[in-house]
Amino acid sequence: PGRQGAAAPVALLRAAADELLAGRWDVFALRGVQLGFPPQWNRDPKTGTLAPMHAGPSIDYRDAALVGDIKYLWEPSRHLELVTLAQAWHASGERRYADGARTLLLSWLEQCPYPQGVHWASALELGVRLLNWCAAWQLLGDAIDDAWRAQWLRAVYQHCHFIRHHLSRHSSANNHLLGEYMGLFIASLQWPCWPESAGWRTLAQRGLEAEGLAQNHADGVNKEQAIYYHHEVMDMMLLCHLAARANGLQFSPAWLQRLERMAEFVAALMDAGGNVPMFGDADDARMLRLDGAQAEGATPYRSLLASCALLFGRGDFKAKAGALDERNRWLFAEADARWQAIPAAGAALPQPLVSAFPQGGYYLLGRDFDTPREVRIVVDCAPLGYLSIAAHGHADALSFTLSAGGEELLVDPGTYAYHTQRAWRDYFRSTAAHNTVQVDGQDQSEIAGNFMWLHKARSLALAHETLQFFEGTQDGYMRLRDPVMHRRVIRFDSKRNAVKVEDILECLGEHEVALHWHFAEDCRAETDGHTLHVAARRQRLRMHCGFGPGPQLFRASTAPIAGWISRQFDRKSGCVTARWGGTIHGTTTIVTEIALWEGASS
C-alpha cells in the first residue's frame, strides 16, 4: 500500500478512524455500539457474555451460554479496524491514529495471551488476523517503535506456530483451511524472521495451490455452493497472488486461470443492477477492508470484478464493476492509469460470455443481458454443499431467482443467523425459504445441526438450451415412504417476456405439496383468485398457478415463520412470500406461468 488518496477518501478514512477512537464500533447488526477504546476483547459485544480464559482449543465456542454469539465476539479481533487506523495515519500523517493503532494492538496482546481464550480457538481467525496485521504493519511503517515491534513480532510467531499445528482437516477442510494457509503464507512473506519461516511459506504455498484447485470447480464455481463464500475464497486467492507477486513468487497458470473462471461466474450471476443472488450461507466476512467508510449494505462483488479487471486486463469485468473503487486503489500500484488502459468491453452481447456452469450446477435463462431490457434467471441445480457436512449449503435444489431491468423480483432470502437463533437458522436454510417445491412439509435435505446435514438431495441437470430452456431433477423426497421424484422444467419465451415453470412430481400416493415464491422487499402483491399481481419500483409481474385454492401471502410472519429476507448477517426484514399449497394424488404436473412487463403500478 502507498496510496495517499484524494481529499474526500482521506476525510472519510479519518471520520471512520475517529469513530473508533471514540469507542464506537460497527459489528454486524450493531451500528455505532459503544465498546470503548480499547474494547474488552473477550466480551461479546452483542450479549455482554464474558468468555472464559481457558486454553483456546478446549473452548466450545458453539456454546452460546459460554461465549455469547461467537460471530460477534470474534469479528473485532480480526483487526480490520486496526487497518483503518493505520490507513488514517498513512494518509493523514496525524500521530493520534498511529498511537490509536498501538493502543489497540497492545491491549489485544495483553487481554488475549497465547494460547488462552476464545481468540485462540479457531485457526481461521488467526489467519485473518495475520492478514490484517500485515497490512497494518506496512501502513504504519516507522511509526512502530522498538518495544511495540518486539511484542508484535512475538505474537506473529505465536500465531504462525499455532496455525501450523491446528490446520483444519477432514470435514472442515473448506474455506477455513484456505484462510489458514493464507495467513501463514502472507505472514511468512512479511516476517521471514525465524528458522521455521521458510518451511511455513513452502507449506502454505503448496496448500494454497492445492486447495485453490480442489475447492473450486474447473468452471469457476466454489464447491461450498454459497455465493458469499465464493467471494471470500476469491478474495483469499487474489490477496495471496498479489503478495506472492510482490515477493517474486508465483502460483501456477492453472491456479490463476481458476481465479479468472471464478470471476466469470460472479459476472454471469450479476444482473444489470449489480445484484447477485444470495444462494447458500453468507456471514458478511471481509478478509481485508481497505474501504473503511464503505456504504452500509454495499456488496463486495463489483470490487472483486474490478480487481480481476486489473489483474487480467478484462474489459468485460471492468464493465461489470462499473468503476474503480478505493480498495483497489490501495491494492494496486497506479490503479487509475491501469484502469484507464483496459479496453472497453464493446457493445453488449446478446448473451453472457458463460451461461452454464455444469460442474457448479448453475444455469442462466433470459434476454438482453446487461441492458435496461434485461431479464436474468439463475437456476440452482447444484450439489448441497462441500465435503461430508455441506456446512454452508441450503435446501434449495431447483430454485431460481429472477430480475428484470436490473431490479430483483424473485429472490433467495439469504441467511440471517449462524450459531444462535436455531429456529431462524433452520428457516433460512429450509426448502420453504426458497423458490422451489416442498413435499409433506419436509425439507429436500435433512438438517442435522447449524452446519450439518443428514440426507442430502441430489440434483441433476437434464437439459439446458442457452437462455431459453432448462430441465432438471432432484431426489430429496425419494426418501419418503411413498417416494417422490421432483422434475422441474423452466421455459423462457423472449418474445412474450414470459416464464413457464412445470413441476412434475412423480409418485404413487397422496402428498401435501407447497410451492413457495419469495419476492424482493420492495415488491407489493395482490391476489386475484389463482393469480398474483406483483409490482416493484419499475417492473411488474403476473404469476398464475391453478394448483390448490390459490396463493396465501405472508410478510414478516412468525407463526409460521414466512415472508422474510436477510440482506446482512443478523438483520432481517419482511418481504412478500406467496405459497400455493394443495394435495396431489399420484404423479402430478403443476404449471406456474409468469408474465413480465415494465412500469410499476400506483
Side-chain angles (χ1 to χ4, degrees), residues 174-217:
N174 51 16
N175 67 87
H176 282 230
L177 181 58
L178 205 68
E180 291 154 11
Y181 282 137
M182 171 191 70
L184 193 60
F185 179 67
I186 287 179
S188 64
L189 292 177
Q190 178 64 58
W191 300 286
C193 305
W194 303 282
E196 300 97 326
S197 295
W200 289 337
R201 190 197 73 194
T202 299
L203 172 72
Q205 185 168 1
R206 287 176 179 169
L208 287 165
E209 178 83 31
E211 294 300 320
L213 295 173
Q215 294 189 29
N216 302 292
H217 290 292

Side-chain angles (χ1 to χ4, degrees), residues 312-501:
F312 300 111
R314 296 272 298 258
D316 53 346
F317 293 166
K318 177 181 177 179
K320 279 284 190 175
L324 186 66
D325 61 308
E326 281 302 298
R327 183 178 195 263
N328 281 297
R329 291 189 172 98
W330 287 93
L331 284 177
F332 289 86
E334 300 178 346
D336 284 284
R338 293 173 63 178
W339 183 260
Q340 293 300 322
I342 300 171
L349 299 174
Q351 61 189 57
L353 182 64
V354 184
S355 63
F357 300 85
Q359 292 169 311
Y362 299 94
Y363 299 84
L364 272 63
L365 306 176
R367 60 175 288 182
D368 298 319
F369 280 47
D370 302 313
T371 75
R373 299 181 67 242
E374 173 188 89
V375 174
R376 189 179 300 251
I377 299 166
V378 183
V379 183
D380 181 346
C381 188
L384 178 63
Y386 186 47
L387 301 176
S388 61
I389 59 175
H392 295 299
H394 289 185
D396 54 6
L398 302 186
S399 66
F400 65 88
T401 61
L402 166 65
S403 68
E407 186 170 26
E408 292 180 297
L409 296 170
L410 288 170
V411 297
D412 184 301
T415 300
Y416 181 60
Y418 262 26
H419 295 278
T420 60
Q421 305 177 89
R422 178 63 183 272
W424 290 102
R425 171 69 175 157
D426 288 353
Y427 169 73
F428 277 94
R429 293 193 295 164
S430 72
T431 299
H434 297 88
N435 300 319
T436 188
V437 176
Q438 183 188 42
V439 178
D440 293 338
Q442 300 190 39
D443 293 323
Q444 300 161 339
S445 298
E446 292 182 88
I447 294 172
N450 283 334
F451 297 94
M452 190 176 296
W453 299 83
L454 290 176
H455 182 275
K456 303 173 189 174
R458 293 174 297 179
S459 301
L460 177 65
L462 301 177
H464 177 243
E465 296 176 13
T466 303
L467 304 187
Q468 301 297 316
F469 179 86
F470 170 83
E471 181 178 6
T473 63
Q474 66 87 12
D475 68 358
Y477 297 115
M478 293 296 287
R479 72 182 190 271
L480 300 179
R481 179 173 296 180
D482 175 49
V484 180
M485 175 62 79
H486 176 206
R487 179 160 55 96
R488 171 167 273 188
V489 176
I490 306 172
R491 293 181 172 87
F492 176 69
D493 184 335
S494 58
K495 294 181 179 179
R496 296 175 52 239
N497 219 28
V499 185
K500 183 177 181 180
V501 183

